[in-house]
């Protein structure tokens, strides 16, 4: 391990929707950060802005190969994968939309089942 | 009856990026400086303060629970409030201790509840409120990363919430939350552990939530628990005396003096830490474990990461070899001091000792010191215990050492004059 403070699996890192970075606690109270773009570029060193300490992130670069080349709009594209960590207040609106979508889609199969019976 | 209120000073050193040292600035402090309390005379705690019951440190925020002369308690906080960890009233940064009273807390306080226990995870705060003959109330506030709030994932952060235990069962029986007494609450950066007791049949149980994938909550079934979960460790026959949490591990000291440890062992932090006996106190740095043995020598054993001298035993540690051994205190006369108490920070340790044959108290510390958190006016790591306090020279009013605490690159001294 040597120069690294630690080697950390990506599963132990939290996702910051606003800054667009994965982060992990640094013992100084600040945090080690790395962006999806860095991960897509096979960079694996997350740094702490307040410290000399660094960590190596253990992850599969294939999981990030679809990352768009520029950061533009990356936050919205990522939200799907990190759903469980989200606390967005729009969840009700999302559900409503989901329901609408399902309603139109599910109608024909229901009718088909009824006809078959 | 008016209690005689002592003259107390709280001092802090170390990492201070968000004002968590409460010294009026957000610059690191490499020496111990007095903490400020809003509206109080500089260098003093609020009038009528009898003692500090608890001091809890998060990433960049600090909570202190004060006991006042009239029997009430008051919660004060400082540092980073951006995630709601200081309550909804302070969503920015506080560089001096300020009373924390969220509307939710006030609602309970108006019914007579008192805040009796506090804890702080990374960016989340926990309060335990008590009122005789009523169920204990656990309030969480701040970040919900990895389910830290304990109220599921749908909760809007920055709104304090009451943690529910209604869904828990022991051997198929509901544990009747109304009869649940919270004996202690301890938080690591990413997980929380409560020691609870049922009033009805006096059963003791450990309950936790937060990150779990390394076994720090007793098993590795899921990545994290976002609601309270019963840790499958039968503690009723030998209840918990103290408990300490690292970044990915948990160590329990039972009332019998026996220890149990679980979670990640990547740095050797669990190495031979299970089933010690005659242990008086356990403590965890983020990647290490410390046991104060109840023997004649007052041995403090250490194991785990030593990359910054955290084990405090320079001579016995081979690189890449995990060992358990006693921390090496070398006093000028070669005689071992008597160890009273120790506090683990993220990667450093503070101890209160009495030199051999003396009743004086001193603070010794060691480990990672990049932020000047040992208060020695330098930022070099310290691989062996060194005297920190009394600092000597210009500190005529140092007073008697009442307590020490250690946080994430921070150290705290309460002295009484």
């Amino acid at each position: 391990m040597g120069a690294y403070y630690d080697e950390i699996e990506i599963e132990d890192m939290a996702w910051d929707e606003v800054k667009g970075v994965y982060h992990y606690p640094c013992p100084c109270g600040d945090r080690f950060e790395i962006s999806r773009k860095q991960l897509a570029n096979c960079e694996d060193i997350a740094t702490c802005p307040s410290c000399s300490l660094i960590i190596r992130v253990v992850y599969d670069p294939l999981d990030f190969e679809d990352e768009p080349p520029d950061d533009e709009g990356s936050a919205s594209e990522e939200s799907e994968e990190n759903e469980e960590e989200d606390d967005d207040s729009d969840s009700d609106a999302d559900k409503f939309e989901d329901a609408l979508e399902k309603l139109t889609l599910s109608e024909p199969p229901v009718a088909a089942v009824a006809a078959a019976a | 009856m008016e209690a005689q209120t002592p003259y107390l000073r709280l001092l802090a050193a170390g990492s201070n990026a968000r004002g968590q040292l409460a010294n009026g600035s957000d610059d690191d402090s490499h020496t111990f400086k007095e903490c400020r309390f809003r509206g109080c005379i500089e260098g003093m705690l609020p009038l009528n303060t009898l003692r500090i019951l608890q001091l809890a440190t998060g990433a960049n925020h600090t909570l202190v629970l004060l006991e006042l002369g009239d029997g009430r308690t008051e919660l004060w906080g400082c540092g980073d409030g951006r995630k709601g960890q200081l309550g909804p009233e302070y969503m920015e940064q506080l560089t001096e201790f300020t009373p924390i009273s969220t509307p939710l807390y006030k609602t309970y306080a108006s019914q007579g509840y008192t805040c009796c226990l506090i804890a702080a995870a990374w960016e989340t705060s926990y309060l335990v409120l008590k009122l005789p003959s009523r169920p204990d109330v656990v309030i969480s506030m701040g970040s919900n990363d990895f389910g830290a709030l304990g109220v599921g994932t749908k909760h809007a952060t920055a709104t304090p919430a009451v943690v529910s235990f209604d869904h828990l069962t022991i051997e198929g029986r509901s544990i009747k939350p109304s009869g649940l007494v919270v004996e202690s609450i301890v938080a690591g950066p990413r997980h929380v552990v409560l020691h609870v007791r049922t009033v009805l049949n006096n059963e003791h149980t450990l309950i936790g939530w937060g990150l779990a994938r390394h076994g720090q909550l007793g098993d590795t079934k899921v990545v994290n628990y976002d609601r309270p979960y019963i840790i499958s460790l039968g503690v009723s026959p030998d209840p918990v005396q103290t408990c300490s949490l690292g970044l990915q591990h948990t160590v329990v000291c039972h009332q019998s003096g026996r220890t149990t440890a679980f979670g990640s062992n990547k740095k050797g932090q669990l190495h031979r830490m299970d089933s010690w006996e005659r242990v008086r106190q356990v403590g965890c740095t983020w990647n290490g474990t410390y046991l104060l043995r109840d023997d004649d020598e007052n041995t403090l054993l250490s194991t785990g990461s030593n990359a910054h001298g955290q084990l405090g035993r320079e001579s016995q540690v081979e690189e890449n070899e995990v060992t358990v051994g006693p921390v090496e205190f070398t006093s000028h006369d070669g005689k071992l001091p008597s160890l009273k108490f120790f506090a683990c920070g993220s990667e450093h340790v503070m101890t209160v000792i009495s030199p051999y044959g003396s009743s004086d108290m001193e603070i010794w510390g060691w480990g990672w010191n990049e932020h000047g958190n040992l208060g020695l006016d330098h930022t070099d790591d310290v691989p062996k215990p060194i005297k920190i306090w009394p600092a000597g020279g210009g500190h005529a009013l140092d007073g008697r050492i009442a307590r020490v605490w250690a946080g994430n690159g921070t150290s705290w001294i309460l002295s009484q004059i």
Side-chain angles (χ1 to χ4, degrees):
Chain A
M1 230 164 279
Y4 309 122
Y5 169 67
D6 211 342
E7 290 184 283
I8 295 301
E9 290 165 307
I10 190 87
E11 290 85 352
D12 282 317
M13 301 187 81
W15 172 250
D16 183 330
E17 186 80 26
V18 181
K19 274 190 83 177
V21 292
Y22 284 96
H23 59 93
Y24 187 81
C26 174
C28 74
D30 209 326
R31 58 194 205 175
F32 301 106
E33 294 182 337
I34 195 163
S35 69
R36 284 184 69 94
K37 198 180 157 196
Q38 285 175 292
L39 294 170
N41 291 338
C42 294
E43 291 173 38
D44 62 357
I45 304 299
T47 55
C48 169
S50 310
C51 258
S52 67
L53 302 181
I54 54 171
I55 58 168
R56 194 172 86 82
V57 181
V58 179
Y59 73 107
D60 184 352
L62 291 176
D63 293 344
F64 297 89
E65 63 179 1
D66 296 335
E67 187 61 18
D70 46 325
D71 328 3
E72 213 185 326
S74 58
S76 60
E77 306 230 10
E78 284 143 14
S79 59
E80 207 174 26
E81 237 176 277
N82 296 284
E83 216 165 80
E84 48 184 282
E85 281 162 36
D86 287 352
D87 298 294
D88 59 4
S89 48
D90 303 329
S91 59
D92 281 347
D94 288 346
K95 267 185 210 154
F96 182 61
E97 272 173 32
D98 281 351
L100 269 182
E101 229 172 85
K102 278 180 190 133
L103 187 69
T104 52
L105 280 172
S106 63
E107 254 176 12
V110 168
V113 168
Chain B
M1 189 186 79
E2 273 287 306
Q4 178 77 35
T5 56
Y7 174 51
L8 297 168
R9 292 164 80 212
L10 182 63
L11 303 121
S15 182
N16 195 30
R18 294 276 160 196
Q20 60 263 47
L21 298 184
N23 63 18
S25 84
D26 55 10
D27 298 325
D28 285 5
S29 179
H30 301 163
T31 56
F32 282 96
K33 282 192 186 152
E34 282 173 334
C35 299
R36 295 188 192 177
F37 288 77
R38 180 176 286 184
C40 299
I41 301 164
E42 197 159 334
M44 287 187 71
L45 272 69
L47 284 176
N48 217 12
T49 304
L50 273 187
R51 75 193 102 219
I52 294 183
L53 293 171
Q54 277 185 290
L55 184 148
T57 54
N60 292 302
H61 74 291
T62 309
L63 302 172
V64 285
L65 185 62
L66 308 178
E67 183 184 346
L68 306 182
D70 58 9
R72 286 184 307 122
T73 65
E74 263 180 17
L75 179 66
W76 293 57
C78 68
D80 189 8
R82 291 172 301 164
K83 292 289 167 69
Q85 59 268 59
L86 298 176
E89 284 160 291
Y90 304 108
M91 295 292 288
E92 294 297 326
Q93 173 176 316
L94 298 170
T95 57
E96 55 183 13
F97 280 117
T98 305
I100 304 295
S101 64
T102 74
L104 184 61
Y105 176 21
K106 273 188 200 149
T107 308
Y108 282 102
S110 69
Q111 296 170 32
Y113 275 89
T114 307
C115 182
C116 292
L117 303 169
I118 56 169
W122 190 240
E123 290 173 320
T124 312
S125 302
Y126 306 94
L127 326 178
V128 178
L129 313 181
K130 290 174 182 278
L131 176 63
S133 78
R134 297 282 292 278
D136 288 359
V137 175
V138 179
I139 291 177
S140 62
M141 56 194 192
S143 161
N144 202 21
D145 282 345
F146 298 105
L149 291 175
V151 294
T153 51
K154 287 297 170 201
H155 187 80
T157 51
T159 310
V162 174
V163 179
S164 166
F165 301 93
D166 293 349
H167 60 291
L168 297 176
T169 56
I170 301 176
E171 289 160 8
R173 287 173 288 126
S174 163
I175 60 168
K176 291 209 177 63
S178 58
L180 212 57
V181 177
V182 180
E183 299 279 1
S184 70
I185 180 166
V186 188
R190 290 285 189 222
H191 69 302
V192 193
V193 172
L194 278 70
H195 169 213
V196 302
R197 180 172 58 81
T198 59
V199 178
L200 200 58
N201 33 22
N202 219 29
E203 274 180 302
H204 292 259
T205 309
L206 287 179
I207 293 174
W209 65 87
L211 198 59
R213 65 186 291 268
H214 300 280
Q216 57 268 62
L217 294 176
D219 59 61
T220 53
K221 282 186 274 194
V222 297
V223 170
N224 67 298
Y225 291 101
D226 57 29
R227 289 181 190 281
Y229 171 75
I230 291 180
I231 296 173
S232 53
L233 175 73
V235 291
S236 261
D238 190 358
V240 176
Q241 186 189 32
T242 62
C243 181
S244 188
L245 276 55
L247 188 52
Q248 298 175 340
H249 71 298
T250 305
V251 183
V252 174
C253 180
H254 299 268
Q255 281 174 10
S256 68
R258 186 171 61 88
T259 58
T260 311
F262 42 96
S264 171
N265 192 30
K266 197 168 77 174
K267 308 275 177 137
Q269 58 268 57
L270 304 185
H271 181 69
R272 292 185 56 214
M273 280 295 135
D274 229 339
S275 304
W276 281 91
E277 305 213 333
R278 294 183 65 194
V279 173
R280 187 158 26 120
Q281 193 198 338
V282 293
C284 295
T285 55
W286 279 12
N287 299 293
T289 306
Y290 299 77
L291 304 180
L292 180 55
R293 303 219 52 211
D294 203 6
D295 54 19
D296 295 338
E297 284 84 38
N298 279 292
T299 319
L300 180 62
L301 297 171
S302 63
T303 187
S305 172
N306 197 40
H308 298 275
Q310 302 95 313
L311 297 185
R313 46 189 175 93
E314 205 174 18
S315 63
Q316 317 158 46
V317 186
E318 299 286 323
E319 206 169 334
N320 299 325
E321 191 192 344
V322 176
T323 56
V324 180
V327 172
E328 293 166 355
F329 288 89
T330 318
S331 58
H332 59 277
D333 55 3
K335 288 183 171 147
L336 287 173
S338 168
L339 240 84
K340 304 295 178 198
F341 176 81
F342 72 99
C344 286
S346 51
E347 296 291 2
H348 73 290
V349 184
M350 302 273 284
T351 56
V352 178
I353 65 158
S354 280
Y356 181 82
S358 162
S359 60
D360 294 345
M361 301 272 231
E362 294 177 0
I363 296 170
W364 289 45
W366 64 94
W368 186 57
N369 188 35
E370 182 169 341
H371 292 267
N373 41 295
L374 293 173
L376 297 165
D377 206 11
H378 68 74
T379 57
D380 300 329
D381 292 346
V382 176
K384 272 179 71 174
I386 186 170
K387 185 172 141 187
I388 289 174
W389 199 264
H395 286 281
L397 290 174
D398 282 347
R400 186 179 65 80
I401 295 158
R403 250 330 263 286
V404 295
W405 295 270
N408 300 315
T410 61
S411 300
W412 306 77
I413 299 172
L414 181 69
S415 77
Q416 182 173 343
I417 293 169

